[in-house]
Amino acid sequence: MKQLTILLLCCMTMLMAHTSKIYRGNSTYTSDILYTWDGKHLFRGNCTYTSDIFLTFDGKYIFCGNSTYTSDILYTWDGKHLYKGSSTYTSDILYTWDGKYLYKGNSTYTNDILLTWDGEKVYCGRSTYTSDILYSISGHIPAALLAVLFL
């Protein structure tokens, strides 16, 4: 029984270590957690209850809630562009991502930068000033989800 308890604790610790958090502004306080990411689901707040699933991301499609039905596709991600719905038409590009900046539409012009990402902080526009921090991130969050959160 003792070995089973230790095994369960180890498994729970490993699972918890794989979650990432999105915090409001320049904070890492538990009370400022906006979202939790488990590698497939984005949850509202600091919980991982099925009822709190906000989005599901399979690497290509972002679905509403805990669904993976094609009728529930909100956005399509190709690694560089975020599209409306299940489209991959150029006219349906909402954002362009270059690894550091999120641009409006199908653009990479400096004037169209909406977000700057430095690996830990998400800033408004082309800024890295502390006063422009929108989110603080612990762990890995896919760029597609950062783009969706900016909508």
Side-chain angles (χ1 to χ4, degrees), residues 3 5 8 12 19 22 36 42-43 46 60 63 66 72 88 90-91 101-102 104 124 134 136-137:
Q3 291 172 334
T5 303
L8 286 173
M12 287 173 46
T19 61
I22 301 174
T36 300
L42 187 67
F43 299 84
N46 189 26
K60 180 175 182 177
F63 300 88
N66 192 25
D72 291 325
T88 54
T90 305
S91 60
Y101 299 112
L102 182 72
K104 179 175 47 176
C124 185
L134 298 172
S136 296
I137 313 290

Side-chain angles (χ1 to χ4, degrees), residues 2-19:
K2 185 177 179 181
Q3 291 172 334
L4 180 60
T5 303
I6 292 171
L7 179 63
L8 286 173
L9 285 173
C10 289
C11 289
M12 287 173 46
T13 302
M14 287 175 61
L15 286 174
M16 289 173 59
H18 287 93
T19 61

